[in-house]
Amino acid sequence: MFLVCGEALYDFFCNTRLGEPQASLDYTAVAGGSPYNVAIGLARLNTPVALLAGLSTDALGNNLKHLLAREGVDGRYLQHFDAPTTLAMVSLSGDGLPSYAFRGLGCADRALEVDRLPALDSAIKALHFGSFSAVVEPVGTALRALARREASHRLISYDPNVRLNPAPDIKQWRAVVAEMATLAHVIKVSDEDLELLYPQVALEDIARGWLKEGCELVFVTRGGHGADVFSLEHGRLSVAAPRVEVRDTVGAGDTFQAALLAWLADHDAVTPGKLRALNPEDLETLLRFACKAAAITCSRTGPDLPRRSEM
């Protein structure tokens, strides 16, 4: 079983064009948050998963709890707080790329502290961390402490998923990424995030640095250009993205993340040693599987991640 650690929130998509002042705006609210999406994605791919997240006791938080249960995500590690649910206000560019504005200060997803970190039972074989929950406080300190506590005996996966709205200090992001890179056995990152974090630095150099620090596999997603995987043993391997009519790209990176973790579970490769044993053909098959899953999400509106039967 995977334990996904981080935020669950609501994305509010503005359906109204804002070229002229509007007294009334039309929004669609969609459950989301990168870790929430990854947990849902794993469950839909029939991979056992639990979520460690701070959920509000308000109506939105209760709805998130019920949605997770309906999708088959184990709720034993959910933490409940008398604080609001974070809202992410999302607008889309003409080519479907999202921009975000967060309403999250003092909200439930940020409230988890070190003294509320749970003991993990033996069913948990791997942990995934991602997005701004690892950066904002106090939850960031708690989740990084959990990663340090578990890294020596459970697989650690990490996706920075940089969001400057809730945490605008890029130096803080770099510090957190540097810390997590010393703990993670698998890192997935987008080329856009790398450009934000380390402008003008070649992605090969970034990946090589993380691998030398102990990471086994570094995945870099490049949108419509496909994805790469880097390892010390096999260097760089790449696959092209499937051709698809893109509705939007919301949730595509989270889908790729869920699919790569599901593939590792399917192939009993959730230990550092078994990651090292994957050959180039295995890695290319993994990349194609994750890219196909992400393409399915891109063909639909919003973070509607695929089910196993669609793969």
Side-chain angles (χ1 to χ4, degrees):
M1 177 181 285
F2 287 95
L3 178 64
V4 178
C5 307
E7 71 271 6
L9 49 80
Y10 265 88
D11 292 320
F12 277 69
F13 291 89
C14 184
N15 303 317
T16 305
R17 295 187 179 185
L18 299 179
E20 297 290 337
Q22 304 272 353
S24 177
L25 300 178
D26 178 34
Y27 280 88
T28 299
V30 179
S34 177
Y36 172 92
N37 288 338
V38 172
I40 295 292
L42 282 164
R44 289 186 175 186
L45 293 172
N46 299 336
T47 304
V49 59
L51 180 66
L52 171 61
L55 291 188
S56 175
T57 56
D58 66 13
L60 292 177
N62 284 328
N63 199 53
L64 288 169
K65 179 180 69 173
H66 294 311
L67 287 172
L68 289 163
R70 188 180 72 184
E71 292 281 359
V73 177
D74 192 316
R76 77 183 78 173
Y77 296 110
L78 294 172
Q79 307 285 316
H80 300 280
F81 296 97
D82 186 15
T85 298
T86 288
L87 308 181
M89 315 305 290
V90 186
S91 59
L92 299 176
S93 67
D95 54 1
L97 296 175
S99 60
Y100 298 85
F102 286 83
R103 309 290 191 270
L105 190 64
C107 289
D109 60 295
R110 304 189 186 197
L112 180 66
E113 299 191 46
V114 172
D115 61 2
R116 288 192 61 163
L117 288 174
L120 306 183
D121 64 38
S122 59
I124 303 297
K125 304 301 182 184
L127 293 87
H128 172 70
F129 299 85
S131 200
F132 66 84
S133 287
V135 179
V136 298
E137 299 299 343
V139 65
T141 292
L143 293 184
R144 298 195 305 275
L146 179 63
R148 286 193 300 273
R149 190 187 83 186
E150 301 296 332
S152 63
H153 52 286
R154 290 184 171 93
L155 189 79
I156 302 296
S157 166
Y158 176 56
D159 173 12
N161 195 39
V162 178
R163 293 288 180 264
L164 294 179
N165 297 93
D169 187 348
I170 194 63
K171 292 181 180 178
Q172 183 183 14
W173 276 96
R174 289 177 185 141
V176 169
V177 171
E179 179 181 356
M180 290 298 296
T182 66
L183 303 171
H185 306 102
V186 174
I187 297 175
K188 192 278 288 183
V189 64
S190 71
D191 56 355
E192 292 178 343
D193 283 352
L194 290 179
E195 181 60 29
L196 283 172
L197 289 165
Y198 312 111
Q200 283 79 56
V201 180
L203 62 87
E204 293 90 343
D205 294 337
I206 299 167
R208 190 177 302 114
W210 288 340
L211 293 170
K212 289 180 178 178
E213 290 176 349
C215 184
E216 299 293 343
L217 296 174
V218 175
F219 295 86
V220 179
T221 57
R222 298 182 290 109
H225 298 290
D228 307 314
V229 61
F230 296 83
S231 74
L232 287 177
E233 179 73 17
H234 305 298
R236 178 179 184 175
L237 301 168
S238 305
V239 301
R243 299 188 65 176
V244 65
E245 182 178 345
V246 175
R247 300 290 296 274
D248 66 51
T249 63
V250 177
D254 301 329
T255 305
F256 186 99
Q257 180 73 65
L260 84 84
L261 294 178
W263 191 96
L264 293 175
D266 290 346
H267 294 80
D268 191 27
V270 289
T271 67
K274 291 183 177 180
L275 291 178
R276 286 191 295 273
L278 295 174
N279 61 42
E281 292 75 18
D282 293 329
L283 294 173
E284 289 179 1
T285 301
L286 190 166
L287 284 176
R288 284 192 291 270
F289 182 80
C291 284
K292 178 179 180 179
I296 292 172
T297 296
C298 289
S299 72
R300 319 199 270 222
T301 301
D304 184 6
L305 284 70
R307 299 183 183 277
R308 177 71 71 169
S309 59
E310 298 178 273
M311 295 295 296

